[in-house]
């Protein structure tokens, strides 16, 4: 058992989730990392790469291979986390996918719609429900420590992209889920926050890198650069360590100013 805080991060194997794990570990958190990307033989990519890096900060890392869209996997995630660390202080719902193929809203398929919603929204919703119940129990045993929950949504929660409507819808719904959990869990002292990344350089955005390079050069982002996973991770760490303790339901945008409308 660890005396330090325990964070459970989904989609921890690469990209933004990986960045969140490393920054939390640097700040003293032990980590439960959940991902489908987990091969003990592969120390170059996925959960076992992240494990090595987290251990480099002298923190513990428990890799859990699981699919957040499979509700059957949720109990396994909770059981493994509790067996190893005895508690969960921070849940970061980060796992998410883009549509396999960008398709105009007039041609969106039910299969793509269901896949994206199942992972990005339904999975995060029911995993949160399960872990929140555990956190309520935890608060009953240790009223001093207040757990929190962080949802990684996207600017797509409010920006329209007609070529990937299922993604935007999944993130808009996730944003509302964060708000409702914040409302419901406030009485237990469990704060819930939403972090909205803009355009972040990861494998998810690799297929559209050239398009976004051009848009950024043309002024799409006031701060005129790609976001880095560390930009998102810094916001998560600040929320996780309680810097915004009187701000449940807070939405933090990490987008270089894309929220600014200008003439
Ligand atoms: N990259 C961006 O520009 C950007 C912008 C806004 C929001 N986001 C959001 O941030 C989150 C992370 O995105 P990223 O850019 O790091 O993507 P990524 O594709 O680089 O990483 C996503 C990780 O989630 C894992 N994952 C996917 N489906 C899973 C499942 N069913 N169960 C468990 N793990 C699963 C993947 O294996 C991968 O390790 C996503 O929710 C994404 O929607 C990303």
């Amino acid at each position: 058992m660890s005396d330090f805080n325990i964070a459970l991060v989904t989609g921890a194997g690469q990209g933004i989730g990986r960045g969140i794990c490393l920054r939390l570990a640097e700040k003293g958190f032990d980590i439960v990392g959940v991902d489908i990307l987990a091969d003990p033989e592969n120390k170059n990519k996925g959960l076992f790469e992240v494990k090595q890096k987290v251990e480099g900060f002298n923190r513990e890392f428990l890799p859990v291979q699981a699919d957040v869209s499979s509700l059957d996997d949720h109990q396994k995630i909770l059981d493994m986390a509790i067996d190893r660390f005895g508690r969960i202080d921070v849940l970061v719902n980060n796992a998410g996918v883009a549509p396999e193929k960008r398709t105009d809203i007039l041609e969106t398929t039910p299969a793509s719609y269901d896949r994206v919603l199942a992972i990005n929204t339904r999975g995060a919703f029911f995993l949160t429900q399960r872990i929140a119940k555990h956190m309520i129990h935890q608060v009953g045993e240790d009223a001093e420590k207040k757990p929190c929950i962080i949802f990684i949504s996207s600017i797509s929660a409010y920006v329209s992209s007609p070529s990937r409507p299922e993604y935007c819808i999944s993130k808009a719904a996730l944003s509302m889920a964060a708000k409702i959990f914040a409302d419901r869990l406030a009485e237990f002292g469990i704060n819930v926050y939403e972090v909205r990344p803009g355009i972040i350089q990861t494998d998810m955005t690799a297929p559209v890198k050239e398009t976004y390079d051009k848009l950024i050069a043309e002024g799409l982002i006031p701060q005129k650069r790609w976001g880095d996973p560390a930009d998102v991770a810094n916001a998560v760490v600040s929320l996780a360590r309680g810097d915004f303790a009187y701000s449940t339901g807070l939405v933090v945008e990490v987008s270089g100013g894309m929220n600014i409308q200008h003439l």
Side-chain angles (χ1 to χ4, degrees):
M1 288 268 167
S2 168
D3 292 334
F4 282 76
N5 289 315
I6 312 302
L8 191 155
V9 181
T10 68
Q14 67 173 37
I16 293 172
R18 174 183 182 276
I20 291 169
C21 290
L22 301 192
R23 198 47 63 96
L24 284 171
E26 201 182 338
K27 299 295 178 190
F29 284 81
D30 292 323
I31 316 274
V32 181
V34 177
D35 208 296
I36 44 177
L37 206 61
D39 173 5
E41 301 305 315
N42 188 350
K43 305 277 194 309
N44 297 316
K45 188 160 186 173
L47 289 184
F48 288 85
E49 187 269 340
V50 182
K51 181 174 190 293
Q52 274 190 331
K53 288 268 168 20
V54 165
E55 288 170 354
F57 291 111
N58 289 321
R59 303 286 6 129
E60 290 184 43
F61 184 88
L62 173 68
V64 178
Q65 183 167 29
D67 177 349
V68 296
S69 71
S70 159
L71 303 199
D72 290 344
D73 279 4
H74 291 179
Q75 191 62 41
K76 171 177 109 175
I77 294 169
L78 179 61
D79 288 347
M80 285 181 71
I82 299 307
D83 280 357
R84 173 71 171 267
F85 294 114
R87 56 188 302 121
I88 298 169
D89 298 301
V90 181
L91 165 64
V92 185
N93 285 302
N94 164 77
V97 291
E100 281 170 344
K101 194 165 144 242
R102 290 191 178 210
T103 310
D104 183 83
I105 188 169
L106 297 176
E107 306 298 335
T108 306
T109 63
S112 180
Y113 186 98
D114 289 348
R115 170 182 171 268
V116 172
L117 270 287
I119 297 169
N120 294 3
T121 313
R122 185 174 182 269
F125 180 89
F126 285 105
L127 180 64
T128 300
Q129 186 188 66
R130 191 169 302 231
I131 291 183
K133 285 182 184 170
H134 186 85
M135 285 175 164
I136 291 168
H137 166 76
Q138 209 173 277
V139 171
E141 306 237 298
D142 179 1
E144 293 275 296
K145 269 193 163 182
K146 301 294 187 199
C148 75
I149 297 171
I150 300 166
F151 287 85
I152 308 299
S153 65
S154 168
I155 54 165
S156 297
Y158 68 89
V159 174
S160 159
S161 298
S163 65
R164 45 175 190 149
E166 63 276 58
Y167 182 77
C168 300
I169 292 165
S170 76
K171 293 298 185 177
L174 192 67
S175 173
M176 181 51 83
K179 187 183 290 194
I180 301 172
F181 274 117
D183 191 10
R184 181 66 181 89
L185 297 176
E187 68 175 282
F188 303 103
I190 300 169
N191 283 7
V192 181
Y193 310 105
E194 176 188 347
V195 173
R196 278 186 190 158
I199 300 176
I200 313 295
Q201 201 147 16
T202 68
D203 280 9
M204 183 180 276
T205 44
V208 285
K209 181 164 184 322
E210 276 180 27
T211 312
Y212 284 164
D213 279 345
K214 188 162 171 287
L215 290 171
I216 292 168
E218 289 167 0
L220 176 70
I221 302 176
Q223 286 187 248
K224 286 197 181 304
R225 69 164 175 87
W226 282 81
D228 187 82
D231 292 313
V232 183
N234 287 339
V236 168
V237 164
S238 189
L239 296 167
R241 70 180 177 203
D243 291 352
F244 292 86
Y246 193 54
S247 302
T248 196
L250 182 68
V251 179
V252 180
E253 180 154 331
V254 184
S255 70
M258 288 184 76
N259 49 315
I260 301 166
Q261 294 193 0
H262 54 113
L263 272 173

